């Protein structure tokens, strides 16, 4: 369930990031600390954007950096980083990112339920407003819990 | 039945999210189609009637033969609905 992955320890707020690489590194920190991913996975996520372009920006302002399980995932995980100031993934307007959700899939299947719930959550404009306006983690946790069934 | 292949960089994240939305919209529109998701590299050797994904990814599949449906915002169900209607009407 989504709330098992996005919780107190995996939600972060930051004012800004120097560039998109820094943003991905910061966003991935909780998963690295919990040893759910290895440093190689972080490098793979960055390389993936370098090779394929800013495709991880799935909607204006929202990026879901990820790489393949074999790049260095120990355990399925997600971590959320909200920035106050957008960081550019390209010069395009829609690639100015304020919300990053790092996705660590351990295989092709186990993350799908949570990903489906995340997808539902991100499809609603008002939920995004809640995330962008949140002043504490609790507000995001409440939202995530609502979508975890 | 037509086959729609949802494509993303790794075949693990966004393509699955979009696949779910495609399925629910097709149901609403009463259109029957086979929907699957995969990564860009695999998609090049897979046959489908439509290849759908974010512009940055699926423009790599344009060869003049494939039907490519490009999306600007993967989470925007309205954009997806319009694109599916335009391409699959009457199926």
């Amino acid at each position: 369930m989504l709330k098992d992955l996005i919780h107190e320890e995996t939600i972060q707020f930051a004012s800004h990031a120097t560039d998109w690489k820094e943003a991905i590194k910061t966003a991935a920190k909780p998963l690295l600390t919990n040893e759910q991913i290895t440093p190689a996975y972080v490098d793979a996520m960055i390389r993936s954007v370098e090779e394929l372009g800013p495709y991880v920006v799935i909607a204006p302002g929202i990026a879901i950096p990820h790489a393949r399980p074999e790049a260095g995932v120990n355990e399925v995980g997600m971590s959320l980083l909200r920035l106050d100031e957008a960081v550019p993934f390209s010069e395009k307007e829609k690639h100015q990112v304020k919300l990053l959700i790092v996705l660590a899939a351990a295989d092709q299947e186990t993350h799908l339920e949570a990903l489906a719930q995340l997808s539902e959550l991100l499809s609603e404009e008002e939920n995004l407003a809640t995330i962008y306006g949140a002043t504490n983690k609790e507000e995001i946790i409440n939202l995530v819990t609502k979508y975890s069934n | 039945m037509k086959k729609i292949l949802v494509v993303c960089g790794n075949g693990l994240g966004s393509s699955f999210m979009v696949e779910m939305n495609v399925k629910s919209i097709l149901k609403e529109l009463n259109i029957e189609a086979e929907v699957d998701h995969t990564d860009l590299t695999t998609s090049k050797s897979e046959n489908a009637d439509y290849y759908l994904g974010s512009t940055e990814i699926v423009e790599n599949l344009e060869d003049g033969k494939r039907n490519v449906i490009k999306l600007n915002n993967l989470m925007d169900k309205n954009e997806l609905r319009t694109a599916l209607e335009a391409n699959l009407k009457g199926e």
Side-chain angles (χ1 to χ4, degrees), chain A residues 76-122:
Chain A
V76 59
M78 281 187 200
S79 56
L80 181 153
L81 170 67
R82 193 207 63 199
L83 299 167
D84 293 333
E85 205 179 290
V87 65
F89 272 64
S90 88
E91 66 286 353
K92 286 186 193 160
E93 179 59 36
K94 68 167 182 168
H95 293 143
Q96 309 305 307
V97 169
K98 282 184 86 171
L99 179 64
L100 289 95
I101 296 154
V102 170
L103 182 65
D107 52 48
Q108 302 282 352
E109 301 295 333
T110 46
H111 65 295
L112 296 182
E113 185 195 41
L115 192 59
Q117 292 164 346
L118 177 68
S119 178
E120 286 288 318
L121 191 160
L122 296 178

Side-chain angles (χ1 to χ4, degrees), chain A residues 45-72:
Chain A
M45 286 193 288
I46 291 172
R47 208 163 47 240
S48 171
V49 174
E50 283 172 341
E51 284 167 9
L52 295 162
Y55 80 96
V56 295
V57 183
I58 53 162
I62 308 171
I64 52 161
H66 59 283
R68 299 197 63 82
E70 58 271 23

